[in-house]
Amino acid sequence: EHGPHGRDIERADLGAIGIAGVVDEHVDAAHVRDGSIHRALPHARCVMHVHSIHATVLASLADSRLPAIDQNTAMFHNRHVVDDHYGGMAFEEEGARCAQLLSDPRITTMVMGNHGVLVIGATVAETFNRLYYFERAAETYIRALQTGRPLRVLPDAIAEKTAREWETYPGFAERLATPGGRFFSAGAPVLCLIGATTAAGEDAFTAGLTFQN
């Protein structure tokens, strides 16, 4: 089964939860975690978390860092962090730990060891764009490891330059992650079920979005 297409989601379709506390008995532990992140980090206007295949494979490695070996992986150079303290299902203490790890505004992506990946951003489009490219970057890295050959890691200066170029690419996220853009085109690949929350005043809104062919 597939959920509604992203372009069909409207505000009325989203469930409200209180940033200061749970106000819906159906809100799960992940929403408590995300609420903690929203409270602690004003710049985290949107939080997305997935257990996508390659990001989860990366999270399952003893060293879950993502080296800059190409243009996509360079997007996350010095902009991702690894949480090494998975302790079971998400609760408020996990949210506090995640918020601390993401407190540097430059850090946008957290590899959740033994779990998956969590991404923050200023807008839904920006966050989804980042989430999509992290999965692609993780796939490139995992496939490169499978060759058993030495990796061609970019010099720090080039990786940082590339990451900044991604950040300043005009309108990139909005153009790709909005109706009519690449991620919503008829030929777009199936990605995953997304758990997402966005801070809006005193509320957060959450939805599961399935992007499909």
Side-chain angles (χ1 to χ4, degrees):
E1 296 183 3
H2 295 291
H5 197 282
R7 65 186 165 201
D8 297 325
I9 294 292
E10 298 180 355
R11 184 183 179 92
D13 298 317
L14 306 180
I17 62 175
I19 286 290
V22 176
V23 297
D24 184 331
E25 63 179 354
H26 301 296
V27 171
D28 63 23
H31 300 150
V32 176
R33 176 200 59 218
D34 291 358
S36 297
I37 294 172
H38 287 306
R39 286 196 302 272
L41 306 176
H43 61 279
R45 299 292 296 168
C46 181
V47 177
M48 292 188 180
H49 166 59
V50 294
H51 304 159
S52 52
I53 294 174
H54 297 95
T56 305
V57 170
L58 179 63
S60 302
L61 301 179
D63 183 352
S64 295
R65 291 172 296 178
L66 181 69
I69 59 172
D70 78 326
Q71 183 168 286
N72 289 342
T73 52
M75 178 187 290
F76 303 95
H77 180 70
N78 288 334
R79 287 154 179 79
H80 74 285
V81 66
V82 177
D83 176 16
D84 290 319
H85 300 288
Y86 177 74
M89 301 299 288
F91 290 101
E92 194 162 2
E93 59 269 21
E94 183 185 46
R97 186 176 73 249
C98 292
Q100 183 176 19
L101 288 168
L102 293 165
S103 59
D104 181 347
R106 190 171 64 163
I107 303 299
T108 60
T109 305
M110 181 170 63
V111 181
M112 306 173 78
N114 307 107
H115 190 174
V117 63
L118 185 146
V119 177
I120 63 174
T123 67
V124 172
E126 176 186 290
T127 310
F128 179 76
N129 180 71
R130 193 168 284 139
L131 184 72
Y132 174 85
Y133 274 97
F134 188 84
E135 177 63 14
R136 290 194 60 179
E139 179 179 7
T140 297
Y141 177 51
I142 296 304
R143 288 180 179 271
L145 290 178
Q146 289 173 337
T147 70
R149 303 290 297 276
L151 299 177
R152 188 190 298 271
V153 180
L154 290 170
D156 283 351
I158 299 300
E160 178 63 27
K161 176 178 181 291
T162 305
R164 290 180 181 177
E165 289 170 343
W166 275 116
E167 290 172 341
T168 57
Y169 198 111
F172 181 66
E174 288 70 20
R175 185 166 65 252
L176 296 185
T178 52
R182 175 178 174 184
F183 299 142
F184 290 92
S185 65
V190 175
L191 177 63
C192 51
L193 182 68
I194 300 173
T197 61
T198 60
E202 293 302 313
D203 295 324
F205 296 90
T206 183
L209 309 179
T210 302
F211 297 87
Q212 60 195 43
N213 290 320

